[in-house]
Amino acid sequence: MSANSLPENIAAWHTLEVDEALELLSTQADTGLAPQEVNSRLQKYGANELEEAGGRSAWEILVDQFKDIMLLMLIAVAIISGVLDLVAWRSGTLPAGEIPFKDTIAIMAIVILNGILGYIQESRAEKALAALKQLASPNVRVIRDGNTLEVTAKELVPGDIMLIEAGVQLAADGRLIEESNLQIRESALTGEAEAVNKHAKKPLSEESSLGDRVNMVFQGTEVLQGRGKVLVTGTGMKTELGKIAEMLQSVEAEDTPLQQRMSQLGNVLVTGSLVLVVISIGIGLLMGGNFIDLVEVSLSMAVAVVPEGLPAVITVTLALGTQRMVRRNALIRKLPAVETLGSVTTICSDKTGTLTQNKMVVQSTFVGKEYFSVSGEGYAPSGEFLLDERTIIPEEYPEIPPLMVACTVCNDAILQQEKGEWKILGDPTEGALVTLAAKAGFEKDQWDTKLPRASEFPFSSERKRMSVICQVEEVETGFSPIRDVDPQISNLLADESHLMFTKGSPEIILSLCDQVFLGGNSVPLTEEQRKQILAANNKMAGEGLRVLGFAFRALAKVPSEASEKEVEQQLVWLGLTGMLDAPRPEVRAAVQESRDAGIRPVMITGDHQLTARAIATDLGIANGGDRVLTGQELQRMSDQELEQNVDLVNIYARVAPEHKLRIVKALQNRNKFVAMTGDGVNDAPALKQADIGIAMGITGTDVSKEASDMVLLDDNFATIVSATKEGRVVYTNIRRFIKYILGSNIGEVLTIAAAPLLGLPDVPLTPLQILWMNLVTDGLPALALALEPAEPDVMKRPPFSPRESIFSRGLGFYMIRIGIIFAIITIILMMWAHSHVQSVGVNGLSPERWKTMVFTALCIAQMGHAIAIRSNSRLTVEMNPFSNPYVLAAVTVTTILQLMLVYVPPLRGFFGTHALSLSELGICLGFSALMFVWIEGEKLFLRIIGKKSV
Ligand code: ATP
């Protein structure tokens, strides 16, 4: 059957036998589809994608823009100003040459522009988040053309044979072909939190509800345990999840703590300005002022107090922050993480793959009573076994072959050669074992056929072991080629028909053994031998090796699914393997950097305490003598006891995922701000609980990625540290331009309020001029300040609390102080300029130009402010002006624009400015420069008295 005649709308795949379903989709369980067929089905059914649903509609995003309280106040100002103009126009009192409704139009234009900008940014942000989600979207293991390969979820088509295992989030709907211990959580679909046991076997009745279709698996659900082979029956919008698209989780565009603080700030500013308006109108009236004039002053004040440019600058800064982080391999999934990352005090990191390279090579084995070392590098299956530095032939030692068989069959990894390089598909720990066995001449392919797997008890981080049950005898004929012909197996079998091989944490495996395989036979395990084995384990672990123990048991039949407790005992010990997983070279420096930055790295691993200590000491996470807390000890501790210990312990070993949750909570109760890494399904609760949950991009399960705030694309600890640094830079820059913008706003408001109180005839600044300042002459340099590179000491100081107020550490005081200085400088200039234009009549120049001098001085003073505020402690002369060329460019462009407003006639007409003489312009520049001088003076003063500025 070709793609065109596929059954389109079979809703009842669960009623079919596996063979019927395979036939209907013209595919085969062992070989899957051929590439041409995949292509034609891809064309017919489209990519396996869900159409985005559930997010806000474009219209809703647009309407949301106008709900901001500051924009609402601006709209009110526009209306009042329009009414005033209308009255003046009707009564003929509008000054000659004045364009009516200019301020109203300008303010409304700004409101609309702000709305549109916000709209564009937010819809971009939603799209970007969706794209990021895509980036983190999973690969799927499929069988095509007889080969096992990984494809992206998008490329799945109906008829594909998909392999699933614990940790996977399903990418399509499908009929189970076979399964082992498969448990799936279907809450995404059915709302039912309980895991469902799945069974491939029998067809079900047509009426079975979704939750009862145990022979089917569904897109979006999560594999908690076991494995399975699935025939893909539905992709894209044709899946059960696709059908109920409205239930889809939309991409979450959460407000960052900063955005929340900003809306609080908006409330404070709006209330504050209303209070100011009432006060100044009141005082003005008492002083005999004209009501309409006073209303105009109030309107200007209201416009001046709103930092119109701020929201845009903040959004751009956060967006640039996420981009910089992605370039450093840290993918932000939840926006708040961008700025809160800088506050991390403790990084709890997994060992394998994050601190180490996760490229395993078995270096030694302890079998029988001997240590054998193994040569060779990487996954290439070439190397030798050595005893006391002499090469040996493994088969000559009767204990080695069964261990090698265990390494090959109790194993799910696939060793492949790609372009001459040996690679591994699956878990690197297992890959190293396939390589080891191949070095001894035991090929996995051959042994998988000789000892086909009949059942298994899968690995989990809680159990720290796995077992496979292999069939040895052909049940029907009673003849076994292996039993009768293969001496390597016949000694293991006794009279049974099945062999179970178990591997895992050596202490656990050994505790399940009562015999040991020695000299070709199983003999009782003595206490002496037990001690020897544990000593060998400690010796290898102490060298930083990851040690696994192996055992076997002969069984009469395939055990039932939930019987591991009874079956995984009375095992026969086979031996130990010790593999090297070298630390990542860049981690040592990253650990040091985080320590300097007041961040404590903590290792949390499932591995042995001695292995953990050796690697932690090597990396500088702990000192040789530091205490290691094991999962067992942790288990015995109460939450309070754990809290008393968390500040002291830097290494947790042999922990299970549920311990991670307790560790995070204990740290948080000690007021720590915790970043926690994780990769497994069961790490998800700890990742959610952590302040920053970090999932692994390469080895992480889909479930852990879903639960995380950030995904490490390279699984590397050093990436966490560099993301933390970026977080600090973003937060410092945000605080920097808030200081910059709000300081000037306060200066403007005070200057405007002072004018009528000091008896000046008019408001110095019109709403239009104020908008110009807040948006353009403040906005451009603020954007440039957002690009300020890291200060040299950014990772040399302790982290700041994420809960600190925006005004903390002197920022509020700075704004008020600088606002007042700003106002004092401008008010002095204003008074001087007003009397100057009265006394000096320059030909052709307007007597109104004192206002333009105030306007110009305010704008240019902000240029000096922008240059000086680049550093809190370093003087401008001590900084490289080109380390942030954007500030230089913004200052130059803004100054030119401001001069154009004063000297280009049409612009002058529109903005209500007046030309200044050269000496007047010089005086404006002189006054403006005072701002720069003041801030530099402050830095110098603080340096002299030995205090740090904010
Ligand atoms: P980390 O938490 O730092 O990544 P880890 O990889 O050692 O450390 P787990 O994957 O939970 O943590 O493994 C815990 C223990 O289980 C290992 O130390 C090892 O003894 C055992 N183990 C790991 N992988 C397997 C496997 N594939 N089969 C059997 N046992 C395993």
Side-chain angles (χ1 to χ4, degrees), residues 751-769:
T751 310
I752 297 167
L757 300 181
L758 294 173
L760 294 178
D762 214 348
V763 200
L765 300 163
T766 67
L768 189 60
Q769 291 168 348

Side-chain angles (χ1 to χ4, degrees), residues 78-294:
I79 294 173
I80 299 175
S81 162
V83 172
L84 289 183
D85 273 9
L86 187 69
V87 173
W89 190 36
R90 282 273 190 85
S91 59
T93 51
L94 204 67
E98 178 84 27
I99 312 166
F101 309 120
K102 197 170 60 184
D103 287 342
T104 309
I105 294 168
I107 296 173
M108 281 316 290
I110 296 301
V111 168
I112 292 169
L113 198 72
N114 235 318
I116 292 175
L117 269 183
Y119 169 79
I120 294 174
Q121 265 154 5
E122 280 197 28
S123 26
R124 270 224 202 121
E126 295 217 348
K127 279 207 192 99
L129 273 176
L132 289 182
K133 219 175 170 186
Q134 194 74 38
L135 243 173
S137 101
N139 281 351
V140 185
R141 244 202 233 194
V142 292
I143 301 179
R144 284 181 183 169
D145 224 12
N147 301 315
T148 306
L149 55 148
E150 283 193 349
V151 297
T152 61
K154 245 172 35 183
E155 296 168 77
L156 278 182
V157 293
D160 258 331
I161 306 296
M162 169 166 81
L163 301 173
I164 59 173
E165 59 184 3
V168 160
Q169 188 170 46
L170 283 156
D173 285 2
R175 169 76 164 92
L176 270 175
I177 300 173
E178 58 188 49
E179 95 296 320
S180 164
N181 277 316
L182 187 63
Q183 278 196 355
I184 294 195
R185 182 163 53 206
E186 298 190 328
S187 48
L189 200 63
T190 59
E192 188 59 60
E194 212 48 15
V196 185
N197 287 313
K198 294 282 179 177
H199 302 282
K201 306 286 174 318
K202 42 187 184 317
L204 301 166
S205 74
E206 192 160 353
E207 298 78 50
S208 338
S209 66
L210 270 191
D212 292 336
R213 293 187 195 165
V214 292
N215 58 11
M216 296 287 295
V217 296
F218 302 105
Q219 185 186 26
T221 61
E222 299 160 351
V223 183
L224 294 186
Q225 198 191 314
R227 70 175 72 245
K229 197 183 215 185
V230 173
L231 162 68
V232 174
T233 54
T235 57
M237 293 305 282
K238 289 270 161 54
T239 61
E240 293 299 330
L241 195 66
K243 286 185 204 153
I244 45 168
E246 65 274 16
M247 257 181 66
L248 278 184
Q249 278 186 342
S250 61
V251 186
E252 280 173 58
E254 295 166 45
D255 272 359
T256 76
L258 191 80
Q259 283 166 335
Q260 288 162 9
R261 284 182 200 143
M262 283 299 110
S263 52
Q264 281 164 3
L265 180 76
N267 291 341
V268 171
L269 288 179
V270 168
T271 327
S273 70
L274 288 180
V275 171
L276 260 179
V277 162
V278 172
I279 294 177
S280 51
I281 292 189
I283 297 182
L285 284 178
L286 284 180
M287 288 173 60
N290 173 327
F291 180 69
I292 298 290
D293 289 350
L294 287 169

Side-chain angles (χ1 to χ4, degrees), residues 351-352 427 430 459 461 503-505 546 548 605-607 654:
K351 171 179 72 69
T352 311
D427 177 5
E430 299 202 330
F459 172 76
S461 292
K503 77 173 192 302
S505 146
R546 179 176 176 81
L548 287 188
T605 175
D607 219 334
R654 286 287 186 234

Side-chain angles (χ1 to χ4, degrees), residues 2 11 246 342 370 406 682 693 770 778 877:
S2 77
E246 65 274 16
E370 309 283 1
N682 299 334
I770 295 165
D778 278 3
V877 285

